[in-house]
Amino acid sequence: MARDSVVGNVAQDLGLSPSQLAARMARVVSEGSEQRFRLDPRSGVLTLTETLDREHICPHSESCTLFFQLLLENPVQLIRGEVDVRDVNDNSPEFRVKEVVLKIPESASPGSSYPLERARDKDKGVNSLQNYTLSPNSHFSLALVNGKDGGKYAALVLQRQLDREEQQELRLVLTATDGGSPPRSGTAEVRVVVLDANDNMPVFSREVYEVRVAENSPPGQLLVRVSAADPDDGSYGKVQYELTQTSEWSQELFDLNAVTGEIRVSGNLDFEEAKSHELVVRATDGGGLSAHCKVHVEVLDVNDNAPVITLSSVSASVPEDAPPRTVVAVLSVRDRDSGDNGRTECAVAGDVPFILTAAFAEHYELRTSAALDRETTAEYNSAADSGAGSLPRSYVYDVRLAAGTVDSEFRFLGPLFSCFPAGLPQGAADQRSSLCSAGLGQQEGDWAAQLKLKDHI
């Protein structure tokens, strides 16, 4: 969708009139660092602030959902919205290599299979790659294979034995087609070179290698060494290794030594992006014979993301006669880690007249828990603190009460800021927390309330 395109009408969906939206100072905040939506309070229409490219926003996901928050004042109300970004067929399947060369001995038996390079299609779902076809010929048919990563691969299957003396080379056309309407396609040429007999082909020590690696492993770390043996002498017995039928993304994360078969980390692994990778290694001897093995890489999660506290909304004023459970602020807590590493706890610490209530997933409302009296306490300082995790982060804000019931104000004593403890915890039992305080506007008799956020490891 292009910039300024209409996404929907928030007023109609909520059953509110545009005048109600304007009176309650409605505004939209996108979750994350990018503000993709704009709200017109006069009409309630939600529009885009930028052109949406699904392949850029969600490159590795079948579904693509953007979230935003609708904030209403007087009274404070937080509503969460979701926008489903649907795919259109705007990309054609493409082969990374336009010409694939296969060297096959004339002694190869009918039924032998030869994997081909896969085509890539940035679209998802039905608009992604769906089928391969092969140009008519008298020697080969085409077999389709569904990979563990969800990709579709093709392999040549020998139907009639080759004869080098009859034909030294065959040229075939491989076509990849997606499921769009109308469908898009891409082609690559397959050149089959018929070799004189090479008695033995490489044989891997394993068909499947299983590897587990932590997501914070540094580049250069050795994962595994694949090994294929060929008993032939001379060049026919020397094996070279290469990756095939492996996604470009995985090839950027791992490096294969063509001579030794060692596979090492070469990029930044991220458990939150992909929990596993599948590599296919081809071993080829000097005569062109090849064999394949698979390497399954399981990425292990570590607590490498700090919980983030976002102060979404605060009341413009807090009268001293405000009843208990009056909403003072709305905040959200997010941690990109998974499982226990991504579970957080948020609570108010200290003897202060505030409580924290859950609004919905990862969102909280800071409310008064008792009557306020400016003559007793003129202001309150509240700090949000992430503790008991590996990367605590803190935010500090101040609630100031003025005399009377209408001449009250809420203001920040200083800018919001974050704080990190030095280093990471050495183990699960080493729990650390950090509290950052502004140290501004403190007066005798003030109360200090701490919002403590715990990141579990």
Side-chain angles (χ1 to χ4, degrees), residues 54-55 59 62 87-95 118-132 152 176-180 183-186 248:
R54 188 192 183 284
E55 287 72 37
E62 289 290 335
D87 186 44
V88 296
N89 192 24
D90 56 348
N91 293 282
S92 298
E94 293 183 351
F95 290 93
R118 65 170 290 187
R120 275 79 174 177
D121 193 327
K122 294 181 180 179
D123 292 319
K124 301 295 181 182
V126 69
N127 293 326
S128 65
L129 175 65
Q130 298 295 321
N131 193 31
Y132 293 95
K152 290 180 170 59
T177 308
D178 65 21
R184 291 172 173 261
S185 62
E248 291 181 351

Side-chain angles (χ1 to χ4, degrees), residues 213-228:
V213 59
E215 66 174 338
N216 61 350
S217 298
Q221 178 170 316
L222 177 65
L223 293 183
V224 68
R225 182 179 182 273
V226 299
S227 177

Side-chain angles (χ1 to χ4, degrees), residues 12-33:
Q12 293 179 0
D13 292 341
L14 297 178
L16 299 174
S17 66
S19 61
Q20 288 176 306
L21 288 180
R24 296 185 66 182
M25 295 179 287
R27 63 186 185 276
V28 165
V29 178
S30 294
E31 293 191 4
S33 60

